[in-house]
Structures are given as structure tokens and as C-alpha cells.
Amino acid sequence: MNQLAVDFYLQGHPVTALSDISFQVNPGETVALVGESGSGKSVTSQAIMGILPSNARIRAGEILFRLPETANTVDIAKLDPESAQMRQIRGGNISIIFQEPMTSLSPVHTIGDQISEALFLHRDASYQEGLKLTETILQHVGFADPVGALKMYPFELSGGLRQRAMIAMAMICHPSLMIADEPTTALDVTIQARILKLIKELQAELGMALLLITHDLGVVANMADQVVVMYHGKIMEAGRLQTLFNNPRHDYLKALMHAVPRFDLKPGERLVPVREIHSETGNLLKQQSPQPVVDSIEPHLRLRDVSKTYHLRGGDWIASDYRELLAVDQVSFDIERGECFGLVGESGCGKTTLSKVIMRAITPDQGEIQYHDGSQAIDVRALEGNDLLAFRRKMQFIFQDPYSALNPRMTVFDILREPLVVHDIGNMDYQREMATELMRLVGLDPRFLSRYPHSFSGGQRQRIGIARALALQPDLIICDEPVSALDVSIQAQVLNLLKDLQQELGLTYMFISHNLAVIHYIANRIAVMCNGRLVELASRDQLFENPLHPYTQALLSAVPHPELSQPLSFEAITEGAASDPSQWRSPFTIDDKSSTEFMALGDGHFVRVAAGSKPSDLAA
């Protein structure tokens, strides 16, 4: 790629998206394209694939690609995107893995049809040959039942399996260059590690070049040979992985590295975002008079033996055959007033279900949920009607996806005002003043109150979600993966903001995440959840310095560190063994017939073991 420049035409006026972009990807090499959202990474990939939006134009430069069949070089920038030659290159010679597999896959076509379609478009194969090759590639990317997967729809697959289906679609024509656009952003650390291992194996087997687009410097450290750092459509720095990580020259790359949560942060040390948020507490929030805490010994929230079972319809849509899924299994813990309690685990382990049970969005099957407001204990399960509505003011929720959590038809003012209207708090003047203060509190300009969510970035939308959660001045906030979809620099902004708000407003957090580095940075105590059960509970230092449960150890070993001295051990990564209780060593092994107990080891450290086990049995 030589001096590529791309403009977007908005209302007839050009806006520069890429300027003077030059780099090369050699056969069999991995080049990582690093930068924040809006830096031009995805536009670069779209230009290579010939799928730029209709209002985009390549103003200058060339994209030279060597055709593997003839060894001739063609300039993709000069080809008509709809020409037969470009369609053959796109998918046949260059493939792409998109960021979000759920929106990239058709919901009305089976996995088998979608993967085989790419094959039939670019290769001369019969229908039966196509299905056989599709089955082979599905097995290759780790589907346990590739024959069954052929007939499945995307909604029937987990996030990790959907991403594997996307990889299979990209790989089925054996391309010479694969573009992976944030392929692991929304995945758990264990699934992410398996996807990265899979990409490495396929790359080595086929001699394929890889252009990896990501903002995760831990992934870059474990995958890349070359690194290209982009900012505002320009290349800030480029070079060998070892050179850039050991001796970064540009201030932007240094800032990105300082924004990444690390396990070696010192007590009290803060992340340094590329751009700091300046929050300000207004008069209404300062006038907040929290209820005096009479009984400080009582925990802020107490859970005892909470369980929730879902009843799922079986394969026969006519007959009433149901199967049970135990999503939350006898979960017990306390959250102390003013602390940040972390809850970690893979997708599907029951974290979000548990949070909805606590909020009374879902009714549990059994168990006790007790909220202590400082003077009295409230039985959350017993609340109904107006009592439940009043309780909602004490506990609020920050959602995972800032895009779908905000109503696109409401202005920011209406979004922030809505909780006050629902709970009949104040008149219009009070509500406008509170919305203004909330915007300043999360570091946004109050002049943006008349805007709609689509005009904000992902990080700004998440800050609007935080402001909405604070509108009712709650005591406890449940944060469900609030930074999983954000760039590292925006993630650092939001994490620092949450820490500052907790200290300034005296909040208690329950913080749900699958990112252990984020949990290490923000949480005081951490519970690890697997298959609906808590398997380990300890303070942050205890858990990270002395993890005892095999599942906790597997989660920690799968975290990609942004350090060249701590590479991921891809050989040690096994398919699904981390979350399979039958694969855990004794005394942690669990089967359908065995009972378990939460063993207390002292200093608030608990671990789930087979009933009757002794502390001496925990030694490996």
C-alpha cells in the first residue's frame, strides 16, 4: 500500500479519512494495525477489500496485490469494485473476518449455506463437494459436531462459535491474505485465546498473510511481526514488534501503552488515558444527603443460596417438551458498603442472569436477597408495587452495550430526565438542572443535551449511560461489562471516571466483567463464576497472587499481556477444558452425583471443592 488517501463526501464536501497510508504485508507475515475507533483502521481494510461506502472515494495512492495464481501484481485501488476481477480477489484471494459475527452473519440462512456460498462463488465445486468441504473446514476451526453445525442458524451458536463460523467462511477458499477486523473484541479471555491459537495454526498451515486490526496491545504482543500505529487517518509509527514495544518513539503510542490495565500497577496508581475526562459535581448532587449508616457492620447487599432455572423448549416445536437450564446455582456472597465487588467468568456462566435477579428484573427460584439501606434490612424478593418502585431508586444498572442501551429516538436530555419523570422527582426546571449537572459530572458538555445518541462516540454514549444510572442518586450500581466494547484509551477514561464517582458520591459497585486486567484495576474483592456457581472468592491480591481453583488459573493464564516478556502459552490452551468440571483435578473435580462446599481458607478466601475435602488436599 503506497500513499493511500481516502475521502468521504458529506453533503458534497470531502472529509479526509485516510492520508498518506503506506505499509506492506509480506507472505506469511502478521501485521497489526493499531489505533482507537475513528483512526481509520476499518476504512483501510474496506479499501483493500473494495467495499468502501458509496460516499467514499480513493483520492490518491495505490493498493498493490500480488495474485498467487499468476504472480502478477494488480492495483486494487484502480479496479472497479463490481468488476469480475475484483469479485474474484474479494473472497477468493483476500478474505475478511468482521468484528461482530452476529450482525455479519445472515440470521435467516444456516451456517452451512453461508460458508458454502463463498466456496461456490469462487471455486468450481459441486453441491455435494461444497458441503463436504464446508464440513471439513468447520471441523478444522473447532466445531465439535460439524455435520450438525451445517444446519444450525447463527442465533443457536455462542459468540465464540459464531466467530469460528466467520473464520471458516474466510478460510474456505484458502486466501493468501486474511484481514481480521477486531476478531476477539467481545470474546472471553479463554475463547479469545483459542481463536488466536486457531488463527496462528491456520496461518502456519496455509502460509497465509494476516492483517490484524485491533486496539488490544496484549493481542498485538502475542500475534504480530510488524506493527502500524494509526491516529486520525495517518500513520504515527510503524516497525518491528520488538522495536515498537521496547522503544516506542511517538507520544501517541506511549499514551496507548499507559492506558492499558496491567497486573503490575502499584496501589493507587491510575491509568493514563490519551485524553483525560474533567468531571464536575453540581449543587444538586452536592446537596444529596445520604441516609446515615446506623449499622455499619451489616453488608450493603447479601445473597444466600440464590438459584435461577430457565425452561427451554426442546427440538419439537409442537409437543410441549422442555428442558431445564440451571443458570444460577445456589450463589451466596456479601457486598460491603463502599466497595467494588468484581464478578468474573466466561459468557454463559450466569453473571448477567444473577445481576438481573438482584435487580428483580428476573424472579429467582429460591434464595435470599437482602439490601441494607443503612438503617434497616430490605427483603428484595418480597417487594411489590410501589415498594419495589421506591427500591429501584437505591440500585441502578449500567448496561454493556452503549449503542443499544440508549433510545435512538430520544434526545440526551429526555434520556437523563426519564428516570426523574418515572419516579415523579422535581419539576421541569429541576430536571433540566439535574440533567445539566449529570452531563458535567461525566465530563460532557451540557450543550449536547439536545443531541441524539447517534451523534456520540461509543465512549461518550457509555458516559451518558453512567449519567442516567446516577440520575436517581442510587447507593449501589451494577456495572455489567461497561467497558468491554470500548477502546483501551476510552476504557481508561471510563474506569477512572467510575473510580472517581465512587469516591466522590460514596457508591457501592458490583462490577461484572470477563476482562481480568480491568477487574484487577477497579475491584476490591472478586468472585469467580463458572457454570452458574461461584468457584472462588477472595480479595484482589489473594486471587491474583495465589489463585487456587483450576478455572481461575485457566482464566489468568489466557490473558494476553501487553508485554513481550509474558507471551501466551498457546500450547497449554485446550478446548473447553477450563470450564468442564470433570476435567479439573482433585479435589475440584465435580460430576452430577458429587456434592460440593465453599471451603473457607481464612482472610476472606473461599474456594469450591468436593464435599469432605481438607485444605491440605488443595496442593497440586
Side-chain angles (χ1 to χ4, degrees), residues 7-48:
D7 293 339
F8 280 74
Y9 283 82
L10 302 177
Q11 298 180 341
H13 299 285
V15 177
T16 300
L18 297 180
S19 178
D20 194 24
I21 301 298
S22 300
F23 64 86
Q24 65 181 29
V25 184
N26 297 317
E29 185 179 53
T30 299
V31 175
L33 213 53
V34 181
E36 300 172 278
S37 293
S39 62
K41 306 187 303 295
S42 292
V43 175
T44 303
S45 69
Q46 290 170 354
I48 296 171

Side-chain angles (χ1 to χ4, degrees), residues 164-398:
R164 286 167 185 254
M166 284 291 301
I167 293 174
M169 191 185 303
M171 296 297 308
I172 194 162
C173 292
H174 292 185
S176 56
L177 171 64
M178 184 163 71
I179 302 172
D181 188 359
E182 302 274 12
T184 60
T185 296
L187 301 181
D188 304 328
V189 287
T190 49
I191 297 173
Q192 172 182 265
R194 295 202 290 268
I195 293 294
L196 294 178
K197 178 186 179 186
L198 173 63
I199 291 174
K200 262 187 171 295
E201 289 172 347
L202 294 173
Q203 187 181 8
E205 182 179 334
L206 302 175
M208 178 182 62
L210 175 66
L211 180 61
L212 177 64
I213 299 174
T214 184
H215 61 253
D216 190 333
L217 294 179
V219 171
V220 173
N222 284 278
M223 295 290 290
D225 301 307
Q226 302 273 353
V227 182
V228 178
V229 183
M230 295 185 68
Y231 179 68
H232 279 192
K234 296 182 179 179
I235 293 177
M236 299 290 105
E237 192 169 357
R240 301 289 301 175
L241 174 70
Q242 291 78 5
T243 303
L244 264 65
F245 267 69
N246 293 331
N247 186 28
R249 298 283 183 87
H250 199 278
D251 290 339
Y252 178 66
L253 179 55
K254 293 177 183 177
L256 278 182
M257 290 183 166
H258 285 123
V260 179
R262 300 168 183 263
F263 292 122
D264 58 355
L265 288 176
K266 298 174 183 176
E269 185 178 354
R270 287 171 64 90
L271 297 176
V272 183
V274 176
R275 291 165 295 278
E276 193 66 71
I277 292 176
H278 301 287
S279 63
E280 176 186 332
T281 306
N283 293 325
L284 293 179
L285 290 168
K286 286 179 180 176
Q287 292 169 6
Q288 177 183 359
S289 53
Q291 198 167 3
V293 179
V294 177
D295 192 351
S296 59
I297 299 177
E298 288 294 322
H300 203 159
L301 185 72
R302 170 176 289 163
L303 272 68
R304 290 292 180 270
D305 298 326
V306 173
S307 297
K308 175 61 182 177
T309 301
Y310 289 112
H311 298 277
L312 306 177
R313 186 182 291 274
D316 189 345
W317 289 90
I318 299 175
S320 58
D321 57 328
Y322 290 90
R323 62 185 178 89
E324 292 187 347
L325 174 65
L326 186 57
V328 178
D329 185 7
Q330 295 187 322
V331 170
S332 302
F333 58 76
D334 296 338
I335 299 179
E336 302 299 331
R337 186 172 299 275
E339 79 165 337
C340 179
F341 182 85
L343 185 64
V344 299
E346 294 176 298
S347 294
C349 71
K351 305 188 301 295
T352 298
T353 297
L354 180 61
S355 69
K356 291 178 179 178
V357 164
I358 294 172
M359 286 288 297
R360 276 292 304 276
I362 295 176
T363 302
D365 301 331
Q366 65 176 50
E368 175 189 351
I369 306 172
Q370 189 180 88
Y371 179 92
H372 206 285
D373 64 4
S375 60
Q376 63 175 343
I378 299 173
D379 183 357
V380 177
R381 287 194 64 189
L383 295 175
E384 298 291 345
N386 290 332
D387 291 335
L388 180 58
L389 184 65
F391 171 75
R392 300 263 192 234
R393 296 180 58 176
K394 302 177 185 293
M395 188 188 301
Q396 285 292 295
F397 204 95
I398 300 173

Side-chain angles (χ1 to χ4, degrees), residues 457-472:
S457 67
Q460 289 173 326
R461 292 188 212 195
Q462 194 59 286
R463 282 148 62 185
I464 293 170
I466 293 171
R468 178 176 60 184
L470 293 170
L472 297 174

Side-chain angles (χ1 to χ4, degrees), residues 585-590 608-611 613-614 617-619:
R585 61 180 174 83
S586 180
F588 305 102
T589 308
I590 303 172
R608 186 168 297 282
V609 294
S613 301
K614 301 175 182 177
D617 298 332
L618 301 183

Side-chain angles (χ1 to χ4, degrees), residues 263 333-335 339-345 351 509 511-529 534-545 552 555-556 598 604-607:
F263 292 122
F333 58 76
D334 296 338
I335 299 179
E339 79 165 337
C340 179
F341 182 85
L343 185 64
V344 299
K351 305 188 301 295
Y509 289 149
F511 197 98
I512 299 170
S513 180
H514 62 251
N515 189 324
L516 290 164
V518 168
I519 284 288
H520 180 271
Y521 179 66
I522 198 166
N524 306 112
R525 289 188 304 130
I526 301 166
V528 182
M529 196 168 185
L534 296 189
V535 296
E536 192 160 3
L537 172 62
S539 68
R540 175 184 56 210
D541 294 338
Q542 288 173 330
L543 193 79
F544 283 90
E545 292 173 8
T552 310
L555 287 182
L556 288 171
F598 220 30
H605 195 163
F606 299 85
V607 64

